[in-house]
Amino acid sequence: MTAGNNGSDTPENDDPFAYLYRSEGGQGDQSGQSGSAPRTGGYGYPGPHQPGVPRTSYNHVRAVGERTYGQQNQQQYQQGQQQYQQGQQIPNQQAYGGQGQQNPHYAAPETLPGGAPRRAAPSRGTGGRGPNSKGLLIGALAVVAVVVVGIGVAMITNNDDDKKDDKAEPTASSTAAASVEPSKTPEPSKKPSPLPTEDATGMRLEGGATPASDIPGAKAAGGKYVAGLNVPGASATWSVDVDKGGSYKLYVQYGVPGEDQGLSLNVNGKPANEPLRMQNYAKAKKGDWEHGWTYTWTLVNLNPGTNTVKVSCEAGNKCDVNLDQMWLKNS
């Protein structure tokens, strides 16, 4: 092929993709070559090609919504839109193309024999607005109300139980325990009575012994003491009770004129082995009765019950003594 020689056909007929536009069964083109049929149609060639006229596509560009698919399909589309807005179930629509027949080029895989199984359309809420949030809110409020009511009932029940417990009578076990008599246990022994003390003026006085209060310093009530024991036969006898017999210390409070003195002692009618020594333990000066008050003690054996203790001025005794008190102590 040389310059200026374009071959047996024109440039518009020399199309490397011409086989795509041939009609089924066509093997030639429109150039009139032998053994080939003229191109009378096919995709992009609605009719015989006219030399010098550019080929045009069968499908023209259109604006969205411009193309229609028949009056019946248009009505079905509008009905489907209304049902969707009203929340109704939309029946399966016929394929676009009209006459209730599906277009194999636009059919879904599940509509073809042996295709994928159909999936159930998800349910929509009332009015197509998704989950019923109002119903969920009402249910949650109902659950909260039930819980609050249950707590209130439990609190009231507990208060009633507490009141019943407060008013409850004692149990049988406590009543039985209260009715049981206490065991008879021996009472503890009484403590021994304190050992007695006696003022000399309260004793039985004989032989010239007499109460006096001239010399101060006596411990007896009212400062009184017994004088006149310096005469032979004068005596003072004390009747004393003790719970238990045995040896006791006999204490004697007395006064001397700064010199040692002594009286005879007799217990329950029996004379002591030696006289009751009444020495000048206060170290008073001779003749000083006021500062000569002191005391002494000796052991005596007493019987349970009443005993007699007697001091007296006997022959051989120095009896210049004033008698104040007597008391006992355990030895």
Side-chain angles (χ1 to χ4, degrees), residues 7-271:
S8 60
D9 203 355
T10 57
E12 59 269 16
N13 290 331
D14 191 10
D15 187 357
F17 301 98
Y19 70 93
L20 297 176
Y21 308 106
R22 295 193 184 102
S23 62
E24 296 180 359
Q27 297 179 357
D29 55 13
Q30 295 177 350
S31 60
Q33 294 179 359
S34 62
S36 62
R39 185 181 295 123
T40 59
Y43 293 105
Y45 292 90
H49 175 65
Q50 299 178 4
V53 179
R55 298 180 180 90
T56 58
S57 175
Y58 180 78
N59 294 319
H60 296 282
V61 178
R62 293 179 176 86
V64 176
E66 181 180 351
R67 187 171 185 177
T68 61
Y69 298 90
Q71 186 68 22
Q72 183 178 359
N73 290 341
Q74 183 69 18
Q75 294 177 357
Q76 293 179 357
Y77 174 77
Q78 294 177 357
Q79 291 176 359
Q81 290 293 330
Q82 294 176 359
Q83 293 177 358
Y84 176 78
Q85 294 177 0
Q86 297 175 0
Q88 300 178 0
Q89 184 67 28
I90 302 175
N92 294 332
Q93 301 294 323
Q94 296 180 352
Y96 295 119
Q99 305 303 324
Q101 297 181 358
Q102 295 182 348
N103 190 335
H105 298 284
Y106 297 96
E110 59 268 20
T111 60
L112 300 179
R118 294 178 178 269
R119 297 183 180 179
S123 60
R124 295 183 176 88
T126 305
R129 298 180 181 178
N132 192 349
S133 58
K134 183 176 181 180
L136 295 177
L137 178 59
I138 294 175
L141 293 177
V143 172
V144 173
V146 170
V147 173
V148 172
V149 172
I151 294 174
V153 172
M155 295 177 65
I156 294 174
T157 305
N158 291 336
N159 292 335
D160 293 340
D161 293 341
D162 294 341
K163 293 179 180 179
K164 292 179 180 179
D165 293 340
D166 295 338
K167 297 179 180 179
E169 297 180 356
T171 60
S173 60
S174 61
T175 304
S179 62
V180 175
E181 295 181 359
S183 60
K184 295 181 180 180
T185 56
E187 295 181 358
S189 58
K190 295 181 179 179
K191 293 182 179 180
S193 300
L195 296 176
T197 298
E198 184 69 22
D199 292 343
T201 55
M203 299 177 186
R204 185 174 80 241
L205 303 178
E206 295 176 332
T210 181
S213 59
D214 298 338
I215 301 172
K219 293 185 177 180
K224 294 181 179 181
Y225 55 92
V226 172
L229 291 174
N230 55 353
V231 179
S235 65
T237 303
W238 178 28
S239 296
V240 56
D241 294 334
V242 293
D243 297 332
K244 183 178 180 181
S247 178
Y248 291 88
K249 289 181 178 180
L250 174 64
Y251 285 82
V252 179
Q253 179 82 13
Y254 63 92
V256 295
E259 295 178 344
D260 295 338
Q261 305 293 321
L263 296 174
S264 296
L265 178 63
N266 187 295
V267 178
N268 292 328
K270 295 179 181 181

Side-chain angles (χ1 to χ4, degrees), residues 242-246 302-307:
V242 293
D243 297 332
K244 183 178 180 181
L302 302 178
N303 299 324
T306 302
N307 298 268

